[in-house]
Amino acid sequence: MADTHDFPDIQERLLALEEAFADRNGYRFKKALSELRRSIKMRANAVALAQAEILDSRKEIERNRKQCVDLQAKLKTVVDRFEGSFTAFEKFRKAIRVVELMRGHEDLPAVLDRIKDLFGLRAVSLLLDAGEYAPFEPPGARLAEAGALRAKLAELMPKGAGPGPFMGSIRAVPDPEFFFGQGFCAERKVLLLGSCFIYPLRDKFSPQKLVGILSFFDSNPDRYTSEKGSEFATHFADILGYTIVDVTDRKKAERLREDVERMTRHDLKSPLTAVLTLPQLLRRDGNLTERQNDMLSLMQHAGYRMLNMINQSLDLYRMERGVYELSPQMVDILPILDNISGELRGVIEASDLALDVVVRGRPRQDGDAFAVRGEEMLLYTMLSNLIKNALEASPPGQRVAVTLAEGRTLDVAVHNAGAVPASVRQRFFTKFATAGKKDGTGLGAYGAKLIAETHGAKIAMATSEQKGTTVTVSFPKPRTPANAQTNTNTNTKAKMPPAAGRG
């Protein structure tokens, strides 16, 4: 500090004063004394200034410390909010995933219970429009008339409140039992403290249409307040409402499809009766050649097959939904192949093709049998689709082979020399996958896959330009004794229509 203010050292002034006093030099004494006083004053001023600077520094340090404490508190608040938002986001993300997995109204109870657990809620309630959802009887949800839903929402939220959710104390709800169910108000202590979130669900295609109301209740009075944001909750509620609408629309479409198929089957059976009756009438007149009798047999067989296909159309639909109940028996594949060969004789002859059957590594012989466990007509449909596809995809003059092999599984493989187009190889067994066929529907391989999986079998396709295409169905081996299989095979053969020919 002395260097800063540049004043003389006090010790030097004192020494000069002593010398002046010893020489009794009054002028010198006075001058030394004056300089000493000036030095002391300068030192005192410097000390005072230093103390003032120190005090200011201490005040500045204290202010900085307080600012640091405030910043730490604010930062902690921000971090806590971020972590809380992130945790809430994760919970809502999981809840949205649960809703997205909903496939039918029957999943609603599990979805609501999962939401309740994820969000740690005391109660979750779903009200739906009775006029729209009563025919489906959705479990886990309560029903109310659309007018009652609108009236209760209007009573809860004034017109100026907008279409958003209600968030506040449960005491502010005029009729809690309407939103949360009968008996909810029995827990008085909880109701006096809790808070709730009540949100109207809208139809995503018609936002003005009210679907229902989703309500959350929590014992914490600060969980849902008008000051807090509700973006996550409202977004989740919208997704739940949209999913319910989608599930319901799909249910309506399924019912409509069933009605149309039922009417179609009924309408098709009437003209089919004439197709089945006509061969019998022609045979009564006699005077038919062997070739004509064969043609009538083919026509009658095709009619019976069409009748079976009509009856099985609903079964295939049930397989799609995974609700088909299989009634399996031991079925010999070889008589089925005989009937398919006779039915497809026209396709075989038109393209100069041949249909070979190989049983356990050698050409088929009389007395051979190859039995799997399943339903005869379903197996007939599956193999007919696969063989017909193979014949249509085979180059003219080639041979289509059906190979029956027994190992760890019972394998039925259909091979042709043609290759599956690259555009459909990855989706060969999917619905409506077709290429290169003018009238192809893309349902043959798809139906075969449904039937195979319904029988607990695995189906696979391998194709290349060099080796052609092979579709293999691998059935699990039955556990019945060999002699029981033989007896069952004999009885099963009698169920098929008479073979029209052998390929």
Side-chain angles (χ1 to χ4, degrees), residues 175-451:
D175 186 3
E177 290 195 345
F178 177 81
F179 295 99
F180 291 97
Q182 189 174 4
F184 179 75
C185 293
E187 301 183 52
R188 274 291 179 212
K189 294 182 179 179
V190 174
L191 290 176
L192 290 175
L193 297 175
S195 59
C196 61
F197 167 89
I198 299 175
Y199 187 75
L201 304 178
R202 304 284 178 179
D203 190 327
K204 64 179 178 180
F205 302 111
S206 304
Q208 72 279 2
K209 182 179 179 182
L210 184 64
V211 173
I213 300 174
L214 179 66
S215 304
F216 295 162
F217 173 75
D218 192 272
S219 302
N220 181 1
D222 298 324
R223 175 74 178 268
Y224 299 111
T225 62
S226 57
E227 296 82 12
K228 292 186 176 181
S230 61
E231 290 81 4
F232 287 155
T234 55
H235 181 61
F236 167 77
D238 286 336
I239 291 177
L240 177 61
Y242 298 163
T243 304
I244 292 173
V245 171
D246 288 340
V247 167
T248 304
D249 288 346
R250 188 164 60 245
K251 211 73 164 172
K252 290 178 181 177
E254 289 174 355
R255 290 190 174 186
L256 178 61
R257 178 180 173 181
E258 289 179 1
D259 292 340
V260 171
E261 287 189 349
R262 191 178 299 110
M263 290 185 291
T264 301
R265 286 194 303 273
H266 178 270
D267 294 342
L268 285 175
K269 284 182 179 180
S270 297
L272 190 58
T273 302
V275 174
L276 294 174
T277 306
L278 183 59
Q280 299 176 1
L281 296 177
L282 291 175
R283 286 194 180 98
R284 288 178 183 175
D285 294 338
N287 301 323
L288 296 177
T289 66
E290 183 179 354
R291 177 65 175 172
Q292 289 172 336
N293 277 315
D294 289 342
M295 297 299 293
L296 288 176
S297 296
L298 284 174
M299 185 173 68
Q300 191 172 30
H301 175 72
Y304 278 116
R305 183 170 182 267
M306 180 177 286
L307 179 62
N308 287 323
M309 290 175 65
I310 292 172
N311 293 331
Q312 289 174 15
S313 60
L314 183 58
D315 294 339
L316 292 174
Y317 169 62
R318 289 172 177 166
M319 290 179 200
E320 284 186 310
R321 298 177 57 196
V323 296
Y324 182 82
E325 294 184 4
L326 189 70
S327 299
Q329 296 180 350
M330 294 307 299
V331 180
D332 189 357
I333 297 295
L334 293 174
I336 294 178
L337 296 178
D338 291 339
N339 283 277
I340 294 172
S341 175
E343 179 185 334
L344 299 177
R345 180 183 297 174
V347 177
I348 295 173
E349 293 177 352
S351 298
D352 192 24
L353 298 171
L355 182 63
D356 298 331
V357 178
V358 178
V359 181
R360 296 182 179 87
R362 57 176 176 76
R364 177 185 175 179
Q365 299 178 3
D366 292 337
D368 282 344
F370 193 89
V372 298
R373 189 168 176 78
E375 289 189 16
E376 185 174 9
M377 289 310 303
L378 289 182
L379 295 174
Y380 187 96
T381 301
M382 178 187 71
L383 292 173
S384 178
N385 286 339
L386 295 179
I387 293 173
K388 183 179 180 183
N389 285 348
L391 291 170
E392 292 175 346
S394 181
Q398 297 291 326
R399 309 185 77 84
V400 172
V402 179
T403 303
L404 310 180
E406 183 174 356
R408 301 183 68 177
T409 56
L410 298 173
D411 298 337
V412 180
V414 180
H415 172 79
N416 73 88
V420 176
S423 60
V424 295
R425 289 182 184 181
Q426 297 301 319
R427 50 190 184 93
F428 182 79
F429 291 111
T430 59
K431 205 170 187 178
F432 308 125
T434 183
K437 290 184 181 181
K438 182 179 178 180
D439 299 322
T441 62
L443 295 175
Y446 174 72
K449 179 176 182 291
L450 281 179
I451 295 173

Side-chain angles (χ1 to χ4, degrees), residues 64-82:
N64 291 338
R65 188 188 68 80
K66 289 182 178 179
Q67 289 179 354
C68 288
V69 171
D70 292 342
L71 287 174
Q72 286 179 345
K74 291 179 180 179
L75 181 61
K76 186 176 185 303
T77 301
V78 171
V79 171
D80 290 343
R81 287 180 179 176
F82 172 77

Side-chain angles (χ1 to χ4, degrees), residues 128-141:
L128 294 176
D129 177 11
E132 185 75 14
Y133 295 95
F136 304 99
E137 301 180 352

Side-chain angles (χ1 to χ4, degrees), residues 38-151:
R38 183 169 63 83
S39 298
I40 292 173
K41 186 177 181 180
M42 291 175 66
R43 176 61 66 88
N45 290 338
V47 170
L49 182 60
Q51 288 178 344
E53 289 180 351
I54 292 173
L55 182 61
D56 289 342
S57 297
R58 287 178 178 174
K59 289 181 179 179
E60 183 67 23
I61 291 172
E62 182 63 21
R63 281 196 299 271
N64 291 338
R65 188 188 68 80
K66 289 182 178 179
Q67 289 179 354
C68 288
V69 171
D70 292 342
L71 287 174
Q72 286 179 345
K74 291 179 180 179
L75 181 61
K76 186 176 185 303
T77 301
V78 171
V79 171
D80 290 343
R81 287 180 179 176
F82 172 77
E83 291 179 347
S85 298
F86 183 76
T87 302
F89 172 77
E90 280 296 305
K91 289 181 179 179
F92 279 106
R93 186 181 65 83
K94 292 179 181 178
I96 289 172
R97 180 59 178 160
V98 170
V99 172
E100 288 175 343
L101 293 175
M102 190 171 75
R103 293 293 177 264
H105 294 124
E106 61 276 4
D107 298 332
L108 268 175
V111 169
L112 296 177
D113 287 342
R114 183 60 178 152
I115 292 169
K116 182 178 177 182
D117 293 339
L118 279 173
F119 298 158
L121 298 168
R122 187 67 177 263
V124 174
S125 176
L126 178 63
L127 268 171
L128 294 176
D129 177 11
E132 185 75 14
Y133 295 95
F136 304 99
E137 301 180 352
R142 293 178 298 113
L143 301 177
E145 296 299 328
L149 295 175
R150 294 191 184 93

